[in-house]
């Protein structure tokens, strides 16, 4: 399509001009606004925007890859190197089009910092657009309006391929194996502070986002600290970041609560001041997770058995739609015995495709006082207590996004391999622990003036 447009506009504008051209102007140039009904015209113009965005991102990616390996000292390569080097005094701000990142951008400007905004395109609209409306275009428009108002340069970078490889495939693989994935945690560590840093972020002084979290520098390195807004705190989603990644992070709104951020957006009169908060997984938008899973993994019907009696109660659509402790949605599958509920998912047998449910809450809470974890990312290094007898330490544990922190004893287990295993014994029972789930550890030691717990 892009080649046809270039051919059609041959001699009238350059490729760069075409990539910067308003899609409405392109449709008018070819009289598509007269030939196509409004719905088809909107679809055509959206397709042009997508082509422009992906082409610019591909050209930028090719340049960055070439720049990192090319030792050519031609005048052109020297010029490009100077352009990228000039960004070392800039803070790269990841702008989502929401109120949080918009306020973060404005606060950095008020500090007198030089900034450059980036919109990361990771939506999978090419694959799943037919399932729901993908709001990336609206997000980008808000980001453009914010940057235009604040006089900040904005660049769009498409990381769809990298997101698919590093986050989506992980999500599908974990779901298919019966585990509970967390794509938001992987997005932060592998994409926003991973791939983006490798492609662009390394040319900037630091990377800023609108996360509700704080970074505190100590004599032992940097620490990830909770936001004072416990309900909005996103330190759990940042728990997979390494010490090296955190050293480059800036969270300008991390010390604020949500009402304060909303108030600042009104005070600054930002275009995003009236936007609602986004919900759900970062690449799905309004799309339901079950619809996404069904699109890629399909359905695989199997029996639903009572955990205590073994009696068949119904049929499920696929084990990957259910998590341990789940209650929501089971009533529709257990119509004949729904009155005996509430029912909870008690177990899953992946070998024979069987879902076990129970109406006894004690069945799913009793065995959930302890669990084991591996591949632990100790941001500030493993606690010294775990290297000395009895190889255990008192910490706080967060098992999901939210304000709840549970006291626990973490014990290092004997291991013959390179990866250490740890047993976590909770002070209070938890009904929702499932294989594949992330556990974030917080120290009991207070180093922040607000007395906020420090991330481990």
């Amino acid at each position: 399509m892009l080649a046809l447009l270039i051919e059609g506009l041959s001699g009238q504008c350059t490729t760069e001009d075409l990539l910067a051209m308003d899609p409405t102007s392109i449709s008018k140039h070819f009289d598509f606004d007269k030939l196509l009904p409004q719905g088809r015209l909107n679809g055509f113009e959206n397709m042009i925007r997508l082509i422009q965005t992906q082409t610019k991102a591909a050209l930028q990616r090719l340049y960055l890859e070439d720049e990192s390996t090319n030792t050519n000292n031609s005048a052109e390569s020297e010029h490009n190197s100077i352009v990228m080097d000039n960004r070392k005094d800039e803070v790269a701000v990841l702008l989502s089009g929401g109120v949080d990142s918009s306020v973060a951008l404005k606060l950095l400007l008020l500090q007198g910092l030089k900034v450059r905004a980036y919109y990361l395109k990771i939506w999978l609209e090419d694959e799943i657009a037919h399932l729901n409306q993908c709001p990336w275009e609206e997000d980008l428009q808000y980001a453009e309006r914010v940057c235009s108002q604040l006089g900040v340069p904005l660049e769009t970078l498409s990381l769809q391929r990298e997101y698919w490889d590093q986050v989506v495939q992980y999500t599908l693989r974990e779901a298919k194996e019966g585990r509970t994935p967390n794509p938001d945690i992987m997005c932060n560590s592998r994409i926003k502070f991973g791939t983006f840093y490798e492609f662009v972020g390394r040319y900037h002084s630091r990377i800023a986002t609108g996360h509700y979290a704080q970074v505190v520098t100590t004599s032992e390195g940097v620490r990830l600290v909770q936001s004072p807004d416990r309900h909005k705190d996103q330190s759990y989603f940042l728990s997979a970041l390494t010490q090296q990644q955190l050293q480059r992070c800036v969270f300008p709104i991390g010390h604020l609560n949500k009402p304060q951020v909303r108030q600042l957006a009104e005070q600054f009169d930002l275009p995003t001041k009236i936007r609602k908060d986004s919900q759900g997984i970062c690449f799905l938008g309004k799309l339901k997770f079950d619809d996404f899973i069904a699109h890629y993994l399909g359905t695989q019907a199997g029996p639903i058995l009572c955990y205590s009696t073994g009696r068949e109660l119904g049929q499920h659509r696929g084990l990957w739609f259910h998590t341990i402790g789940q209650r929501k949605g089971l009533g529709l599958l257990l119509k004949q015995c729904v009155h005996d509920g509430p029912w909870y998912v008690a177990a899953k047998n992946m070998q024979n495709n069987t879902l076990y449910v129970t109406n006894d809450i004690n069945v799913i809470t009793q065995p959930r006082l302890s669990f084991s974890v591996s591949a632990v990312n100790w941001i500030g290094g493993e606690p010294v207590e775990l290297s000395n007898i009895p190889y255990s330490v008192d910490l706080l544990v967060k098992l999901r996004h939210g304000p709840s922190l549970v006291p626990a004893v973490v014990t290092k287990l004997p291991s013959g391999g390179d990866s250490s295993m740890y047993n976590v014994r909770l002070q209070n029972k938890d009904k929702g622990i499932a294989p594949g789930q992330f556990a974030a550890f917080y120290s009991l030691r207070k180093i922040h003036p607000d007395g906020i717990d420090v991330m481990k």
Side-chain angles (χ1 to χ4, degrees):
M1 177 60 72
L2 183 61
L4 290 174
L5 290 173
I6 293 176
E7 183 68 20
L9 293 172
S10 178
Q12 300 183 40
C13 67
T14 66
T15 302
E16 290 76 11
D17 290 335
L18 183 62
L19 291 176
M21 188 180 295
D22 179 26
T24 302
S25 301
I26 296 178
S27 61
K28 287 183 177 180
H29 179 88
F30 288 101
D31 292 330
F32 287 154
D33 58 326
K34 300 176 182 177
L35 298 174
L36 298 176
Q38 189 61 45
R40 296 290 298 276
L41 181 63
N42 291 341
F44 172 78
E45 291 178 356
N46 287 340
M47 181 173 61
I48 295 301
R49 290 189 182 94
L50 176 61
I51 291 174
Q52 289 175 321
T53 299
Q54 292 184 333
T55 302
K56 286 187 285 188
L59 291 173
Q60 184 179 27
R61 185 185 296 111
L62 287 172
Y63 160 68
L64 291 173
E65 291 175 351
D66 180 68
E67 191 273 343
S68 63
T69 57
N70 185 11
T71 58
N72 191 317
N73 290 322
S74 67
E76 181 179 1
S77 65
E78 287 181 4
H79 171 71
N80 289 336
S81 178
I82 292 173
V83 170
M84 298 308 291
D85 285 343
N86 285 341
R87 299 187 180 189
K88 289 184 178 179
D89 63 343
E90 297 176 340
V91 176
V93 182
L94 296 184
L95 204 61
S96 66
V99 64
D100 296 330
S101 59
S102 301
V103 172
L105 176 62
K106 176 64 176 180
L107 291 177
L108 290 174
L109 289 173
L110 291 178
Q111 295 175 31
L113 296 174
K114 188 176 180 180
V115 300
R116 182 178 296 269
Y118 292 89
Y119 178 84
L120 301 188
K121 190 166 179 292
I122 56 177
W123 299 100
L124 302 180
E125 75 284 345
D126 297 337
E127 295 284 341
I128 56 177
H130 66 284
L131 297 178
N132 205 327
Q133 192 172 24
C134 211
W136 74 268
E137 291 176 341
E138 182 182 347
D139 290 342
L140 179 56
Q141 289 172 2
Y142 270 102
E144 290 172 340
R145 289 172 59 191
V146 168
C147 288
S148 176
Q149 176 179 314
L150 299 180
V152 172
L154 172 67
E155 297 183 21
T156 301
L157 182 62
S158 177
L159 297 179
Q160 290 173 289
R161 182 182 66 187
E162 292 76 14
Y163 197 91
W164 171 264
D165 292 340
Q166 301 188 48
V167 179
V168 178
Q169 288 196 31
Y170 146 81
T171 301
L172 296 174
R173 183 173 61 252
E174 290 290 290
K176 189 173 184 179
E177 293 297 323
R179 295 188 289 268
T180 300
N182 197 311
D184 289 300
I185 288 180
M186 304 304 280
C187 176
N188 285 321
S189 63
R190 296 185 177 184
I191 301 298
K192 293 179 180 177
F193 301 101
T195 301
F196 172 75
Y197 172 78
E198 293 300 325
F199 281 178
V200 177
R202 62 193 177 99
Y203 296 103
H204 292 268
S205 61
R206 286 180 293 178
I207 300 174
T209 67
H211 282 102
Y212 285 86
Q214 303 181 79
V215 176
V216 175
T217 301
T218 71
S219 59
E220 302 171 347
V222 295
R223 295 290 184 270
L224 181 61
V225 177
Q226 281 187 299
S227 163
D229 189 331
R230 292 296 195 266
H231 290 278
K232 298 300 294 185
D233 171 59
Q234 294 173 304
S235 58
Y236 178 76
F237 292 130
L238 299 167
S239 59
L241 296 189
T242 65
Q243 177 75 196
Q244 291 71 30
Q245 288 174 317
L246 271 178
Q247 289 174 359
R248 301 294 299 276
C249 292
V250 182
F251 304 127
I253 66 168
H255 63 292
L256 303 172
N257 57 42
K258 187 66 179 191
Q260 290 173 319
V261 171
R262 285 285 181 191
Q263 185 177 5
L264 286 174
E266 288 282 351
Q267 178 183 326
F268 300 147
D269 194 29
L270 295 173
T272 54
K273 63 183 180 182
I274 60 173
R275 289 206 80 186
K276 294 181 179 180
D277 292 342
S278 60
Q279 301 292 333
I281 297 171
C282 49
F283 66 88
L284 294 184
K286 298 178 182 179
L287 177 64
K288 294 180 180 179
F289 183 70
D290 282 358
D291 291 340
F292 168 76
I293 291 294
H295 175 69
Y296 286 105
L297 299 184
T299 59
Q300 187 176 1
I304 302 176
L305 304 184
C306 177
Y307 185 82
S308 56
T309 67
R311 181 167 64 97
E312 184 167 345
L313 305 177
Q315 290 278 310
H316 65 81
R317 297 170 56 234
L319 292 181
W320 38 77
F321 296 113
H322 302 282
T323 58
I324 304 301
Q326 174 188 340
R327 176 182 173 183
K328 184 179 179 181
L330 288 181
L332 297 175
L333 303 175
L334 306 172
K335 294 181 180 179
Q336 296 182 354
C337 55
V338 65
H339 57 279
D340 295 328
W343 294 93
Y344 304 88
V345 174
K348 297 188 291 185
N349 188 316
M350 303 302 296
Q351 283 68 41
N352 58 26
N353 194 32
T354 301
L355 182 70
Y356 292 91
V357 298
T358 180
N359 54 5
D360 181 1
I361 188 64
N362 292 321
V363 169
I364 61 174
T365 57
Q366 283 182 345
R368 300 301 167 184
L369 274 175
S370 66
F371 57 93
S372 295
V373 296
S374 60
V376 176
N377 171 51
W378 298 105
I379 295 175
E382 185 183 76
V384 294
E385 295 90 338
L386 294 176
S387 300
N388 303 307
I389 297 175
Y391 308 111
S392 49
V393 61
D394 292 331
L395 295 173
L396 297 173
V397 180
K398 181 176 288 193
L399 294 169
R400 60 192 61 83
H401 173 59
S404 178
L405 281 171
V406 181
V409 177
V410 179
T411 303
K412 191 173 185 177
L413 302 176
S415 175
D418 296 331
S419 179
S420 297
M421 294 280 293
Y422 303 84
N423 175 263
V424 182
R425 184 167 184 82
L426 304 173
Q427 185 180 90
N428 303 314
K429 298 177 182 179
D430 190 283
K431 65 179 182 180
I433 303 174
Q437 191 172 340
F438 279 79
F441 298 144
Y442 296 74
S443 172
L444 295 171
R445 183 166 54 104
K446 314 286 184 179
I447 65 169
H448 193 274
D450 294 335
I452 297 174
D453 304 307
V454 181
M455 192 77 175
K456 279 291 187 181

